[in-house]
């Protein structure tokens, strides 16, 4: 068995316990033939106990020097960011020294407000980033060079990946496992944690709104139905009729619940399904295009390249398990 991919988690003062535990739980559940694929370690800046956001402290076995041994470093959120990053966006010297232990080329993950730490270190300048929807405006104001996206659940920008809050950290870690080892391994890890392998929509569906919900039903049932009909054309009229709404009401409710239009959501579902079939089957590109409602192999190739930057053949070679 080759050396396991090492994931180091940096616990900062005020760390949120839920998100701190996500990497060990998700990456720790990724295995092939009962052989773990990741070695997850947790550290603090100085190796000492860390006061969490809750009413207890945690002890960790390592100081920041262990970051130099990591292939992936995860920064969970802290609710004491004001003690770490000042009002000008300058990061505390001790934390900056800890981050400098990270080797060039190491993959970086930030969950929720962990993005502030990477931004304060200058690592997100000119790059897209996600954070919790309630903190997105502050992140953009404090670090104008960062391209903040307040809608998505997570962003994969190659060597730096960022996510929204809480459970979006689970989405992010499962995505990394899928990227590293394919959908079968990621799905198995998700099943072990009793969570979905993928979630649709963005953060908009979780943002509280001052307007009370309409009396008509939601679109979740229709979305579930549509996900089973991807092999054929689906019009907006048909979707609205299934939901027993007018087209206008359906479109408004759909966007409020998912953060995207029905057409964009359908296109994403079709492409996600195509990616799954590329990973898990030997179907040809044309067969996959037909089965997912993308029509032609040419259309599938174009959409996949626009989304991932690679051809179906390259994608299958990289992700097939």
């Amino acid at each position: 068995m080759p050396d396991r991919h090492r994931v180091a988690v940096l616990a900062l003062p005020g760390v949120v316990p839920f998100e701190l535990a996500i990497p060990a739980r998700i990456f720790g559940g990724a295995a092939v033939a009962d052989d773990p694929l990741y070695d997850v370690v947790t550290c603090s800046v100085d190796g000492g106990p860390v006061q969490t956001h809750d009413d207890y402290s945690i002890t960790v076995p390592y100081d920041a020097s262990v970051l130099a041994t990591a292939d992936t470093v995860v920064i969970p959120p802290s609710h004491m960011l004001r003690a770490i990053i000042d009002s000008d966006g300058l990061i505390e010297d001790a934390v900056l020294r800890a981050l400098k232990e990270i080797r060039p080329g190491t993959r970086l993950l930030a969950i929720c407000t962990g993005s502030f730490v990477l931004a304060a270190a200058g690592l997100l300048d000119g790059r897209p980033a996600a954070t919790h929807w309630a903190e997105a405006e502050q992140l953009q104001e404090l670090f104008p060079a960062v391209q903040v996206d307040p809608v998505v659940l997570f962003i994969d920008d190659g060597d730096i990946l960022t996510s929204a809050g809480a459970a979006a950290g689970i989405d992010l870690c499962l995505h990394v496992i899928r990227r590293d080892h394919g959908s079968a391994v990621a799905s198995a890890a998700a099943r072990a944690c009793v969570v979905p392998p993928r979630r649709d929509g963005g953060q908009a569906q979780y943002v509280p709104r001052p307007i009370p919900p309409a009396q008509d039903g939601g679109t979740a049932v229709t979305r579930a139905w549509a996900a089973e009909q991807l092999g054929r054309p689906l019009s907006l009229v048909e979707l609205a009729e299934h939901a027993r709404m007018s087209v206008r009401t359906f479109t408004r409710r759909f966007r409020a619940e998912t953060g995207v239009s029905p057409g964009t959501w359908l296109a994403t579902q079709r492409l996600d399904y195509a990616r799954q079939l590329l990973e898990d089957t030997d179907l040809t590109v044309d067969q996959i295009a037909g089965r997912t409602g993308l029509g032609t192999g040419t259309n599938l190739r174009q959409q996949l390249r626009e989304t991932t930057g690679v051809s179906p053949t390259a994608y299958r070679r990289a992700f097939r398990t």
Side-chain angles (χ1 to χ4, degrees):
M1 182 77 179
D3 290 341
R4 297 172 188 166
H5 184 108
R6 169 162 278 197
V7 178
V9 185
L10 176 60
L12 296 172
V15 67
V16 183
F18 178 83
E19 284 93 324
L20 175 64
I22 287 173
R25 185 68 183 90
I26 301 298
F27 288 116
V32 172
D34 294 326
D35 287 323
L37 296 170
Y38 299 90
D39 171 34
V40 184
V41 297
T42 307
C43 68
S44 64
V45 170
D46 58 5
V50 180
Q51 177 61 47
T52 72
H53 170 62
D54 295 323
D55 63 344
Y56 57 88
S57 298
I58 59 169
T59 58
V60 296
Y62 301 102
D63 62 22
S65 64
V66 78
L67 298 176
T69 70
D71 304 295
T72 294
V73 170
V74 184
I75 312 293
S78 164
H79 281 193
M80 290 178 58
L81 282 179
R82 288 182 177 84
I84 300 170
I85 302 170
D86 67 20
S87 58
D88 294 322
L90 299 177
I91 194 168
E92 185 184 58
D93 286 344
V95 177
L96 186 59
R97 286 195 299 272
L99 295 176
K100 288 183 177 179
E101 295 281 353
I102 301 171
R103 296 172 298 173
T106 300
R107 181 168 59 191
L108 303 177
L109 275 61
I111 300 174
C112 192
T113 57
S115 299
F116 282 76
V117 177
L118 296 185
L123 298 171
L124 294 179
D125 287 356
R127 305 184 73 152
T131 191
H132 192 288
W133 58 266
E135 308 293 342
E137 184 176 353
Q138 183 184 4
L139 180 63
Q140 189 65 84
E141 290 177 355
L142 196 58
F143 304 103
V146 180
Q147 301 167 13
V148 180
D149 189 332
V151 174
V152 297
L153 292 175
F154 63 84
I155 289 176
D156 181 342
D157 195 37
D159 58 336
I160 298 182
L161 300 90
T162 52
S163 82
I170 298 174
D171 299 310
L172 177 63
C173 292
L174 287 172
H175 169 76
V176 170
I177 295 172
R178 189 179 302 111
R179 196 175 96 170
D180 288 351
H181 300 287
S183 63
V185 175
S187 295
R191 284 195 298 272
C193 296
V194 200
V195 296
R198 287 187 177 94
R199 286 194 294 166
D200 57 23
Q203 294 192 72
Q205 57 193 307
Y206 305 108
V207 178
R209 300 175 184 279
I211 301 174
Q215 294 302 310
D216 48 29
T219 65
V221 173
T222 295
R223 278 182 275 137
W225 170 79
E228 301 295 326
Q229 313 291 321
L230 296 177
R232 66 180 184 85
L234 287 169
S235 68
L236 182 56
V237 171
E238 185 177 3
L239 293 171
E241 287 178 348
H242 183 275
R244 298 183 180 180
M245 302 179 192
S246 68
V247 169
R248 182 176 180 180
T249 298
F250 177 78
T251 302
R252 174 175 56 79
R253 289 299 303 274
F254 197 101
R255 186 178 288 277
E257 293 173 17
T258 68
V260 296
S261 70
T264 299
W265 181 88
L266 265 178
T268 300
Q269 297 304 304
R270 295 187 194 282
L271 192 56
D272 281 349
Y273 186 24
R275 290 165 68 171
Q276 178 185 335
L277 292 177
L278 284 170
E279 295 172 18
D280 297 339
T281 75
D282 294 317
L283 294 172
T284 68
V285 172
D286 286 334
Q287 288 172 328
I288 291 174
R291 183 171 295 192
T292 58
L294 290 171
T296 66
T298 299
N299 185 39
L300 170 54
R301 290 183 183 92
Q302 179 180 344
Q303 292 203 33
L304 188 66
R305 189 171 291 280
E306 289 175 354
T307 303
T308 67
V310 299
S311 67
T313 300
Y315 184 90
R316 175 172 266 163
R317 185 168 55 244
F319 287 92
R320 183 69 183 271
T321 56

